[in-house]
């Protein structure tokens, strides 16, 4: 359990396996279940067989369009691309996303909650996959 008291749902762990080991999903986004603020739950996902998932740029654009401006998200993204010289790139990326407009609730700042739960999400997933090469990326997007 994170310092914020927010736990991971079992579905979060299963989706990690679907991205990392089974490659069934191109990406999965997680969120805090507002207004209860008791669990990290699965928000959205993209099946690896979806035509959008085949093009890295289109997939990333779809993902960023789905992010809601007012709520933080954790993203697990299966990066598969090919360099111009033919070499392949395959990595699992953990993205912690929080827009500048994130502030849900009058008493609890969602950025604070997100920061306290990020380490729990990250530790829980990577501890289950010690051979997975960890890449962390924080994404900032301008306001809409």
């Amino acid at each position: 359990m994170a310092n914020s008291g927010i736990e991971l749902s079992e579905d979060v762990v299963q989706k990690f396996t679907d991205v990392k080991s089974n490659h069934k999903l191109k990406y999965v986004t997680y969120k805090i279940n507002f207004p209860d603020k008791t669990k990290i739950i699965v928000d959205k996902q993209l099946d690896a067989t979806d035509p959008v998932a085949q093009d890295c740029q289109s997939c990333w654009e779809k993902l960023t369009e789905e992010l809601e401006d007012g709520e933080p998200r954790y993203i697990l993204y299966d990066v598969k691309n090919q360099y111009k010289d033919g070499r392949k790139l395959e990595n699992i990326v953990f993205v912690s996303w929080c827009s500048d407009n994130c502030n849900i609730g009058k008493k609890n700042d969602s950025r604070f909650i997100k920061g306290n739960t990020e380490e729990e999400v990250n530790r829980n997933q990577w501890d289950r996959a010690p051979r997975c090469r960890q890449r962390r990326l924080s994404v900032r997007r301008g306001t809409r």
Side-chain angles (χ1 to χ4, degrees), residues 66-77:
E66 290 180 342
L67 295 173
E68 295 177 29
D69 202 29
E71 291 186 36
R73 292 288 187 274
Y74 307 105
I75 304 160
L76 196 62
Y77 189 83

Side-chain angles (χ1 to χ4, degrees), residues 11-31 40-47 59-60 63 66-67 73-79 91-97 121-126 128-129 132-137 139:
D11 200 25
V12 167
V13 176
Q14 179 58 46
K15 296 301 177 185
F16 175 78
T17 303
D18 288 346
V19 172
K20 196 260 178 209
S21 300
N22 302 335
H23 298 285
K24 292 180 182 178
L25 300 174
K26 181 66 175 175
Y27 66 78
V28 61
T29 63
Y30 307 125
K31 69 178 185 176
I40 302 292
I41 59 173
V42 173
D43 180 36
K44 297 182 180 170
Q45 62 190 35
L46 180 66
D47 194 281
C59 186
W60 185 256
L63 170 63
E66 290 180 342
L67 295 173
R73 292 288 187 274
Y74 307 105
I75 304 160
L76 196 62
Y77 189 83
D78 189 2
V79 177
N91 282 317
I92 305 296
V93 180
F94 177 76
V95 180
S96 175
W97 182 79
V121 172
N122 195 27
R123 180 180 60 240
N124 189 292
Q125 290 189 11
W126 296 113
R128 293 176 189 275
C132 183
R133 190 170 167 196
Q134 181 179 0
R135 301 269 186 191
R136 292 182 65 187
L137 172 69
V139 177

